[in-house]
Amino acid sequence: MYSPPTTPADEHRALAAQQEASAALGINVEGRRLWGYQGRTLGQKAHHPGRGACWLRLISTPAEQAKGKLWEGTKDTAAAFPGVRKPALYGIHDGTERDGIAYRAELTAFIDSPTCAPEPVLTSELELPETWWKSLHTDLETIAATPTERVAVRRQWIDRALPQHAGVPAPADIDWATAHGDCHFANLTMSGPTLLDFEGFGLAPVGYDPALLYAYSLLTPQTAARIRTEFPILDSRAGHTALLVVAADLLQSASRGDHPELAQPLRSLVTSIAREPGAIGLTPPDGSAHRAWRARLP
């Protein structure tokens, strides 16, 4: 899933843009290069003479798409969630367009803690302390309560994707809240935890973040069970909606070749929800799971 650009020319352009950004931001990059999804991002440790260790993240997109949610996400995150544990933003540099590709470099604080997993799909069980879970609860609750006009999951997509990819009708009524939008263990550090890669945050079905964390952990039953225990909202009407939306999203990705190993567990998850008495959309709204989630906060 995570690999350099598909052609040497794309890789050369990205490295040239990184060099330009490094000079503009007054840093030197060092160490291993970490390419993101299909080479669209490039992350590398950097050194700033005043701030010390930093992290430089370069994002690329066709020039006509250099705007909107993902492009502005890191900057919007810094303003929207000052109290959430995340890397501090130090600077942004918009680079010179190269062959119709725009580049933006984001300089943030270096987080000296490994992520809980190298990839979004969790393949090894995790033993995390109670303090870790309490911190995550606090940050996800803060995010959910933050007003935003950004949209992480569109209602129109839900109406199409649930029947097409999950084989169930979309619910008539959906409760919405702000979500990180990409909550998995490769975006959570072992200490803290610190939440990484906020650029896709926005409105999503209530419970979307714990639902996504759970879905990506289906291959590790002990960790998945811990998530289900920590977030009782997943056993509510709203949580079932979030789980179905997440399942449809990941099944759509699996149909395109991303994480096919999740396809069967996701189908089983959809089946288990559909067999619930009353099923989704027929069960009356119940706020008890929301209250239970809040009650677990420190």
Side-chain angles (χ1 to χ4, degrees):
M1 179 176 179
Y2 295 102
S3 59
T6 54
T7 70
D10 289 340
E11 182 171 357
H12 176 77
R13 281 195 300 269
L15 294 176
Q18 185 198 55
Q19 185 176 19
E20 175 191 325
S22 298
L25 294 168
I27 59 170
N28 293 312
V29 292
E30 57 191 31
R32 181 185 174 194
R33 296 171 183 153
L34 296 179
W35 296 95
Y37 181 71
Q38 296 183 352
R40 294 172 187 168
T41 64
L42 170 60
Q44 195 168 6
K45 188 176 180 181
H47 180 80
H48 186 276
R51 297 188 181 275
C54 300
W55 185 258
L56 183 68
R57 180 174 182 265
L58 183 78
I59 58 177
S60 63
T61 191
E64 65 273 13
Q65 298 176 21
K67 58 185 177 181
K69 183 180 73 172
L70 295 179
W71 192 255
E72 302 293 344
T74 299
K75 183 172 68 174
D76 290 350
T77 296
F81 308 112
V84 171
R85 194 188 293 259
K86 64 187 186 306
L89 177 62
Y90 294 147
I92 290 177
H93 174 73
D94 287 329
T96 304
E97 290 183 16
R98 303 168 188 270
D99 296 331
I101 304 297
Y103 293 91
R104 168 169 282 189
E106 301 162 344
L107 186 67
T108 61
F110 179 74
I111 305 302
D112 192 16
S113 173
T115 57
C116 294
E119 296 276 349
V121 177
L122 190 66
T123 56
S124 299
E125 299 285 3
L126 291 172
E127 291 290 340
L128 298 166
E130 191 68 29
T131 53
W132 190 97
W133 291 105
K134 287 183 177 180
S135 178
L136 181 61
H137 277 296
T138 300
D139 282 345
L140 293 187
E141 184 74 6
T142 299
I143 292 167
T146 302
T148 185
E149 295 183 358
R150 290 166 55 101
V151 177
V153 182
R154 293 179 293 110
R155 175 69 209 226
Q156 296 91 331
W157 177 87
I158 292 174
D159 290 343
R160 293 195 311 270
L162 262 67
Q164 181 178 354
H165 298 288
V168 296
D173 298 312
I174 299 178
D175 298 324
W176 301 85
T178 304
H180 173 280
D182 199 18
C183 187
H184 51 68
F185 284 112
N187 279 339
L188 291 162
T189 63
M190 292 294 292
S191 64
T194 297
L195 276 160
L196 309 175
D197 291 351
F198 264 86
E199 69 271 14
F201 85 87
L203 292 173
V206 167
Y208 184 86
D209 283 336
L212 190 62
L213 189 67
Y214 176 79
Y216 271 127
S217 304
L218 288 173
L219 302 185
T220 51
Q222 293 178 23
T223 304
R226 178 66 186 268
I227 295 167
R228 202 81 183 229
T229 299
E230 288 289 335
F231 296 97
I233 193 171
L234 295 179
D235 292 313
S236 73
R237 171 186 172 275
H240 286 176
T241 296
L243 286 167
L244 290 174
V245 170
V246 164
D249 188 15
L250 297 185
L251 284 168
Q252 181 181 46
S253 295
S255 71
R256 298 168 177 169
D258 292 332
H259 307 308
E261 69 275 18
L262 279 181
Q264 186 55 51
L266 288 167
R267 293 189 189 101
S268 297
L269 174 63
V270 170
T271 299
S272 70
I273 294 172
R275 287 176 176 171
E276 288 287 322
I280 193 70
L282 300 179
T283 306
D286 180 5
S288 61
H290 298 262
R291 291 192 293 273
W293 187 18
R294 288 177 177 273
R296 298 183 68 87
L297 298 176

